[in-house]
Amino acid sequence: MTDVTPGMIFANSLCGGRPDAVAWIRGNAQNPQLNGLVKFFSTPYTGVLIEAEIFGLPNIALQFSSDFYAMHIHEKGDCTLPFDQVENHYNPTKEPHPQHAGDLLPLMGNQGYAWLAFYDKRFTIPEVLDRSVIIHRMTDDFQSQPSGNAGDKIGCGVIRNNKIE
C-alpha cells in the first residue's frame, strides 16, 4: 500500500514524534492526586493533533468506574490555585458553545485514568500557547451557555512551547 492517510501520519506523531507544545496538568486542592500531560502536535493538514493522558481523576477509588470530565482551553495561562484566573473558554471567533475553539472532547476516566487523542482544525498551536487546559469535575452538557455547565475546575496546565530552538 503506497497511500498515506492522515491516520497513519497521526499514529506516527503519537508513537515517537516530539509535540510542539505541552500542558502539564496538576490537580486542585481537593484533587492533589490529579496529574497528566496534554500534547499538541502540528500536522500537514493545518489542524492540530491533541493527545491527553491524565491520572488520578476523582473516580480512581471506585473499582470498574467510569466518568466523563470536560476538558477546555481557557483564555489565560494562570494556574494559580484555585484556577480562578484562567477566565473564559478560548473563543476568538465569538462562537456559541460548543462550537468555539476552546471546546475540546471530553475525557472518559476509567477508575481515575483517561487517554484521548483527536484532531482539531479550530486553532493553531501558536494561538493557544500560554493559555491553559482545564479539566472540569463534570461532563460538558454541550448546550449551556457560555461554557457547558461542566462544574468545578479540578485540573489545570499552561500550554507551553516544546520546540527545540
Side-chain angles (χ1 to χ4, degrees):
M1 177 176 197
T2 60
D3 293 334
V4 176
T5 68
M8 294 166 131
I9 292 171
F10 297 165
N12 189 49
S13 293
L14 294 174
C15 288
R18 181 183 178 89
D20 297 288
V22 296
W24 289 96
I25 305 296
R26 65 181 176 98
N28 64 3
Q30 295 76 32
N31 297 277
Q33 76 287 353
L34 192 146
N35 68 86
L37 183 62
V38 180
K39 301 175 186 176
F40 298 82
F41 297 87
S42 296
T43 73
Y45 306 105
T46 313
V48 177
L49 181 64
I50 299 118
E51 178 188 25
E53 186 173 29
I54 308 298
F55 302 88
L57 289 162
N59 65 335
I60 193 169
L62 304 173
Q63 187 173 14
F64 310 119
S65 66
S66 61
D67 284 315
F68 287 96
Y69 302 90
M71 184 169 61
H72 302 120
I73 296 174
H74 282 249
E75 283 287 337
K76 302 290 182 190
D78 183 349
C79 288
T80 304
L81 289 170
F83 310 145
D84 57 356
Q85 302 298 310
V86 295
E87 295 190 10
N88 296 319
H89 290 187
Y90 175 59
N91 188 5
T93 57
K94 309 296 185 238
E95 298 292 327
H97 183 76
Q99 281 81 36
H100 44 76
D103 294 322
L104 304 178
L105 293 179
L107 295 166
M108 181 177 172
N110 287 283
Q111 200 167 340
Y113 175 78
W115 182 88
L116 172 70
F118 61 97
Y119 172 70
D120 198 319
K121 286 185 84 165
R122 296 174 296 167
F123 59 85
T124 65
I125 291 171
E127 291 170 343
V128 297
L129 288 176
D130 300 319
R131 299 186 192 286
S132 59
V133 174
I134 293 290
I135 297 172
H136 293 269
R137 176 60 185 99
M138 300 184 314
T139 191
D140 190 316
D141 68 13
F142 299 107
Q143 295 177 13
S144 301
Q145 298 300 323
S147 59
N149 196 27
D152 295 337
K153 298 173 184 82
I154 62 170
C156 184
V158 178
I159 303 169
R160 301 283 189 209
N161 189 340
N162 195 45
K163 289 184 178 182
I164 299 173
E165 312 241 355

